[in-house]
Amino acid sequence: MAKFWNFFLFQLGWFACVWGAANQQVLWAVVGTGIYLLFHVARSCSPKLELSLLFKAVIYGVSADTLLIYSGLLDFKDAWPSLYISPVWMWVLWALVASTINGPLSWLRGKPVLGAFLGGICGPMSYEAGIRMGAGSWAGNIVLGWVVVGVIWAIAIPLMFYWDRTPLEQGLVKNP
């Protein structure tokens, strides 16, 4: 899939999930974004490897976001399926980010320090945007929340590239 469409659908999925969570109506957003992710995996050069990457990203994200909940730093508005684990709409967002590794983020391949730097900045900004839209709230110290989310994402981006085993020439998707 061309980088533009991957980026556009990533943004659309992000907005739909966050808006759905803010309004406690995540079902349509999760289903729609899930369908896009299935389409994305099916069209990838190596569907099995792409699915593996998305699965690993979701496991990492669920673990990280659940730790944020238990540490008292973050509350999610729509906590389905449980108050004790990261909400399902966040699972979809982690998979969406992983879906950009071989598309819009492919230029970061082989640049783990830059990936960590950008992840450390953009991750907290994304959480803040979601919070301002009403999908959650900082439950404790906001500065500490930003720092912890920054560390989580500074690790996440290089880790996703490490998990991705797509050869460099296949990972650099060309725009038509």
Side-chain angles (χ1 to χ4, degrees):
M1 178 171 294
K3 289 180 187 183
F4 170 80
W5 290 111
N6 185 235
F7 177 76
F8 175 77
L9 293 169
F10 163 78
Q11 292 296 326
L12 183 64
W14 183 92
F15 183 80
C17 287
V18 172
W19 184 86
N23 293 287
Q24 294 183 316
Q25 296 185 7
V26 296
L27 180 62
W28 67 269
V30 168
V31 169
T33 306
I35 290 169
Y36 160 68
L37 287 168
L38 289 173
F39 176 76
H40 170 79
V41 168
R43 286 192 38 112
S44 72
C45 297
S46 180
K48 195 173 188 177
L49 292 175
E50 190 72 15
L51 189 59
S52 174
L53 171 63
L54 270 56
F55 180 74
K56 290 173 185 174
V58 169
I59 296 301
Y60 177 86
V62 168
S63 301
D65 287 339
T66 300
L67 286 172
L68 288 169
I69 293 168
Y70 276 103
S71 68
L73 293 172
L74 192 60
D75 283 328
F76 293 105
K77 187 170 182 182
D78 191 324
W80 189 84
S82 169
L83 292 173
Y84 306 107
I85 191 168
S86 169
V88 71
W89 60 272
M90 285 296 292
W91 306 358
V92 172
L93 293 182
W94 279 94
L96 271 175
V97 171
S99 77
T100 65
I101 292 295
N102 289 309
L105 295 181
S106 62
W107 65 276
L108 285 172
R109 188 174 302 282
K111 301 173 186 163
V113 174
L114 183 57
F117 177 75
L118 291 176
I121 292 173
C122 296
M125 288 174 58
S126 180
Y127 279 59
E128 183 66 28
I131 286 168
R132 289 181 184 233
M133 286 178 63
S137 62
W138 295 113
N141 183 325
I142 295 172
V143 173
L144 181 60
W146 266 71
V147 169
V148 172
V149 170
V151 169
I152 287 168
W153 279 95
I155 294 168
I157 297 299
L159 192 56
M160 286 184 208
F161 280 104
Y162 174 77
W163 286 331
D164 182 47
R165 299 295 184 221
T166 304
L168 182 61
E169 52 281 349
Q170 288 179 3
L172 298 173
V173 179
K174 293 182 175 63
N175 280 316

